[in-house]
Amino acid sequence: MQKHLLLGVEAVGQGAIDGGMSGVYAYPGTPSTEITEYIQDNELAIERKLHSKWSANEKTAYETALGMSYAGKRTMACMKHVGLNVAADAFINSAITGVNGGFVLTVADDPSMHSSQNEQDSRYYAKFAMIPVLEPSNQQEAYDMAREGFALSEEAGVPVMLRITTRLAHSRAGVAMKPVLDENQLSMPQDSKQFVLLPAIARRRYKSLLEKQAAFVKLSEESVYNQYIDGDEKSLGIICCGITYNYLMENYQDEACPYPVLKVSQYPLPEKQLRKLEAECDEILVLEEGYPLVEEDLKGYFANGTQIKGRLDGSLPRDGELNPDLVGKALGKEIYQGIPVPPVVANRPPALCQGCGHQDAYEAMNEVLADYGKGRVFSDIGCYTLGALPPYETINSCVDMGASITMAKGAADAGLVPAVAVIGDSTFAHSGITGLLDAVNEKSNITVVISDNESVSMTGGQDSSAQGKIESICEGLGVDPAHIRVIVPLKKNHAELVKLFREELEYDGVSVIIPRRECIQRASRRKRNQSRHANH
Amino acid sequence: MKSNIILAGVGGQGILSIAAALGTAALENNLHIKQAETHGMSQRGGAVVSHMRISDKPIASDLIQMGTADLILSVEPMEALRYLPFLSERGYLVTNTTPFINIPNYPEYEKVMEEIHRLPRFVAIDADGIAKEAGNARASNMVMLGAASPFIDIDFSKLEDGIREVFARKGEQIVEVNLKAIRAGRQFAQENK
């Protein structure tokens, strides 16, 4: 069969299309972004008119997907792990409403924080919501699970989580495709009260979710994705979750793994196979990417019994991404390390691109803020977060999407005036608007810098949902139009930028400064595409 | 056959174009391939690395084990050194000699080159200069792929086919420049390994 070379995220996108999905809803976030981009560019998806436009944030994405499921169609919501925090209210409650059309939530976790502010493990969210999880070990499984996840969701009656991690998301391998399934027809939920979570109905729905739990375990026990692979050497049994199976196999390339292995790619844990492994083996080693979820569970199951090894007893590191070397060490193998890194090698952290507009804004801010003292700039999630590093060191916080405006307000409430917020155009649309409303309502003494590069740049230049609307949003929230100031951040405008920052910092009230210049990466991509277009 | 290749560089230098040409060639040869990339924040001028594995047998891990890389292919000299713990005892290091200096504490260039020249098996190549001679400074990554080609167990003609496929949509002229670049890189490595 012909295989296609796909990134894990692309395999998920292709699987969703082939699984009869009618729409994907997402907000960009590494390492999940390319799922939606792949669907946006896919011929069949375009021909079928599958929904694939970006949502304003993960909560709106998740809720819209739930609406599509209500109407009987198959749908996917995609986000990075921290995006699920934003969508958590909708997510937890959607387990109680249940679904009509199949609903797959793809969450991309980022262990080792390659491009994130934490490494939270989304499997805990699924456990909290009490829904099944699929966790592929390779790109082919990512494709298969995305394609078949809708049917599993329809059978289980709840959303199903497809959990991937950075390494699988951004690694390519050959994927064999399967027949394309039809989309669902429009259809109403059988029970017209299913989605009405008034207490009396919610209590009934919640009981039904609890009653389904045993069936979910049975689905896992019978799942083709969970495999018990026998071994003669019973001193150790190994549980491999998701991609860790590959790291184990990498350590047994020229020989069969002597130990019994339980490969887990569907949760809740398959209890039957677990009990078998426990009965047969003296000790159990748990390999899992993220937090020690399975290991904690087993310590509960087998209290005072079989010794469980993993991230909690020090056999593996408590944090960070796993790899074949760490797994090898846990198995007691010798690891050959090549030549050590010579001391001459310096760190090379990411930095703002040369010519980026954020640089000009920071240059001017630093000059003005020198008069007020350090420590009063609250910032947000985006390229401009790199302003925390040398040479700028302008900003003093980066917590979660939208926290710049609200934290600046809180600091101003405490007496730190003026307080400054720096937020990007897309982050403002995502979660900044409500915070600005709070500040306007209380006439807080804050200066909000919406550093507008007309794109979601850190994730590769997607369209920002507030494009062309920022001034009118601010005005609509009640910001005095005389204190909504737009300027082009360029070196030649430095003096004007400084003057403008100084004026607005002196103003006692909410002011919004909008340095606006298109992201230089996006601009050069746009020009390249135009010239390529012109040549054909 | 089996090749474990570490591709190294700085975000924006385009190491993924090398991976794409190599991956296409491997697929053409019906080989198994896994290739882990760096996306996201590091792409903004930070250190980036791609683990590329090609084999005639199924491949387990997306990541290469320490001390098992057959080749480190770096488009920047200091970045070449960052991944030495991955290099196997018999592995080759192939690096561009042009430094990419975007940090204030970039080490003295001579010290970087000293460390490279200390290795038992390496090719240090002025890929930018050779690309310019070939007709386009932007083809330096294909010079690098050419310089690495003697150490990768894939038919050179298949690598050329890979380039044809990857650059096809940019027009015949761009394809030709890149072919010229990969051949020049290969020739240099064969004469200087």
Side-chain angles (χ1 to χ4, degrees), chain B residues 40-178:
Chain B
M41 197 172 231
S42 303
Q43 285 178 298
R44 300 278 163 269
V48 291
V49 63
S50 172
H51 289 214
M52 180 139 200
R53 313 190 67 195
I54 302 169
S55 173
D56 52 10
K57 296 194 190 69
I59 302 162
S61 170
D62 299 78
L63 292 174
I64 295 171
Q65 278 191 298
M66 295 276 199
T68 66
D70 304 296
L71 175 67
I72 292 175
L73 170 49
S74 180
V75 297
E76 205 279 343
M78 183 180 79
E79 293 308 318
L81 299 171
R82 196 184 298 283
Y83 306 98
L84 284 180
F86 283 96
L87 196 60
S88 82
E89 282 168 306
R90 330 186 91 228
Y92 251 95
L93 182 136
V94 177
T95 184
N96 189 0
T97 54
T98 311
F100 188 97
I101 302 173
N102 66 342
I103 46 171
N105 56 333
Y106 194 94
E108 274 179 55
Y109 179 68
E110 287 71 27
K111 288 200 172 141
V112 171
M113 294 314 290
E114 234 170 70
E115 291 291 345
I116 289 167
H117 283 267
R118 201 174 285 176
L119 297 169
R121 282 167 292 276
F122 72 93
V123 174
I125 177 170
D126 175 13
D128 296 60
I130 292 180
K132 245 178 239 157
E133 280 173 32
N136 188 343
R138 285 171 63 186
S140 70
N141 283 349
M142 292 307 115
V143 174
M144 289 310 303
L145 179 56
S149 65
F151 317 110
I152 305 171
D153 197 5
I154 292 181
D155 257 6
F156 187 64
S157 65
K158 295 283 180 191
L159 287 177
E160 293 179 316
D161 290 345
I163 286 184
R164 285 193 187 94
E165 196 170 327
V166 168
F167 293 99
R169 65 192 182 117
K170 297 190 177 174
E172 191 51 35
Q173 199 193 337
I174 300 282
V175 170
E176 278 310 315
V177 165
N178 281 286

Side-chain angles (χ1 to χ4, degrees), chain A residues 218-521:
Chain A
K218 195 139 193 292
L219 282 170
S220 288
E221 289 171 348
E222 288 161 8
S223 168
V224 293
Y225 301 122
N226 292 334
Q227 288 161 6
Y228 193 99
I229 305 150
D230 219 345
D232 294 335
E233 180 50 56
K234 314 280 189 197
S235 58
L236 185 71
I238 304 172
I239 298 174
C240 300
C241 303
I243 196 169
T244 66
Y245 178 72
N246 304 343
Y247 300 151
L248 176 69
M249 288 303 131
E250 189 67 26
N251 279 283
Y252 295 103
Q253 291 182 79
D254 309 315
E255 47 177 332
C257 175
Y259 310 111
V261 174
L262 175 56
K263 174 184 179 294
V264 175
S265 281
Q266 182 171 337
Y267 307 76
L269 287 171
E271 283 178 18
K272 198 171 73 186
Q273 289 93 325
L274 269 188
R275 302 235 175 248
K276 182 177 171 196
L277 193 75
E278 200 265 301
E280 287 189 353
C281 302
D282 303 338
E283 289 182 340
I284 291 177
L285 172 66
V286 184
L287 307 176
E288 52 192 324
E289 199 67 291
Y291 292 2
L293 175 134
V294 173
E295 194 179 349
E296 276 181 349
D297 262 3
L298 295 192
K299 281 199 195 299
Y301 282 178
F302 305 137
N304 308 322
T306 307
Q307 199 203 334
I308 311 295
K309 308 200 304 185
R311 287 187 183 269
L312 291 172
D313 81 329
S315 299
L316 291 162
R318 177 61 182 80
D319 63 340
E321 189 184 12
L322 295 181
N323 60 43
D325 298 315
L326 292 170
V327 170
K329 268 184 215 156
L331 292 162
K333 295 211 160 202
E334 281 287 320
I335 304 296
Y336 167 75
Q337 282 230 18
I339 304 156
V341 181
V344 70
V345 175
N347 256 344
R348 195 186 310 252
L352 291 171
C353 306
Q354 282 310 310
C356 163
H358 296 317
Q359 291 182 317
D360 299 297
Y362 282 142
E363 296 274 359
M365 282 175 72
N366 280 354
E367 191 171 325
V368 177
L369 284 163
D371 300 344
Y372 290 91
K374 283 184 185 300
R376 55 181 75 240
V377 183
F378 301 87
S379 192
D380 232 295
I381 313 278
C383 286
Y384 48 90
T385 316
L386 296 170
L389 306 176
Y392 302 104
E393 299 183 90
T394 311
I395 65 166
N396 308 106
S397 80
C398 156
V399 181
D400 66 276
M401 295 286 281
S404 56
I405 298 177
T406 35
M407 282 182 72
K409 178 184 181 298
D413 290 350
L416 184 70
V417 283
V420 181
V422 177
I423 187 169
D425 48 319
S426 181
T427 307
F428 176 67
H430 179 290
S431 288
I433 297 171
T434 45
L436 185 56
L437 180 61
D438 280 347
V440 167
N441 286 342
E442 295 190 34
K443 299 188 172 54
S444 304
N445 187 359
I446 64 170
T447 300
V448 178
V449 181
I450 304 178
S451 199
D452 182 0
N453 57 12
E454 304 183 302
S455 121
V456 192
S457 293
M458 184 61 93
T459 48
Q462 294 77 22
D463 294 335
S464 160
S465 57
Q467 185 146 354
K469 303 188 180 82
I470 291 180
E471 292 92 311
S472 53
I473 289 171
C474 294
E475 261 189 66
L477 292 172
V479 180
D480 180 350
H483 294 282
I484 301 173
R485 312 278 299 269
V486 183
I487 182 163
V488 181
L490 277 170
K491 267 204 173 51
K492 63 174 185 184
N493 296 343
H494 179 74
E496 203 184 330
L497 271 159
V498 167
K499 179 169 169 281
L500 198 154
F501 274 116
R502 190 157 277 139
E503 284 168 9
E504 294 308 328
L505 278 171
E506 276 165 15
Y507 169 66
D508 182 4
V510 176
S511 41
V512 175
I513 299 172
I514 308 171
R516 173 176 295 141
R517 179 154 65 82
E518 187 183 18
C519 163
I520 57 161
Q521 297 283 351

Side-chain angles (χ1 to χ4, degrees), chain A residues 20-143:
Chain A
M21 179 193 71
S22 297
V24 63
Y25 295 89
Y27 181 81
T30 312
S32 71
T33 312
E34 302 88 344
I35 301 170
T36 305
E37 290 186 318
Y38 183 86
I39 296 168
Q40 286 170 346
D41 293 339
N42 181 272
E43 267 177 42
L44 178 61
I46 293 166
E47 187 191 311
R48 283 190 167 185
K49 298 191 171 67
L50 306 186
H51 179 278
S52 63
K53 282 211 164 51
W54 294 108
S55 302
N57 66 35
E58 292 86 354
K59 180 173 182 284
T60 67
Y62 195 93
E63 291 160 349
T64 320
L66 189 62
M68 182 169 268
S69 165
Y70 173 97
K73 302 224 174 167
R74 292 180 163 184
T75 184
M76 181 178 276
C78 303
M79 54 200 67
K80 68 184 294 175
H81 57 335
V82 286
L84 186 51
N85 296 334
V86 178
D89 198 4
F91 167 68
I92 301 291
N93 289 310
S94 70
I96 301 176
T97 63
V99 302
N100 185 20
F103 186 165
V104 176
L105 162 67
T106 304
V107 195
D109 289 358
D110 189 17
S112 274
M113 304 176 230
H114 297 280
S115 207
S116 306
Q117 66 271 48
N118 75 32
E119 60 173 26
Q120 65 185 58
D121 184 332
S122 297
R123 295 176 303 164
Y124 279 87
Y125 260 122
K127 195 175 169 183
F128 189 29
M130 293 182 274
I131 61 162
V133 180
L134 298 169
E135 187 185 12
S137 69
N138 58 40
Q139 292 76 358
Q140 182 67 53
E141 281 186 355
Y143 170 84

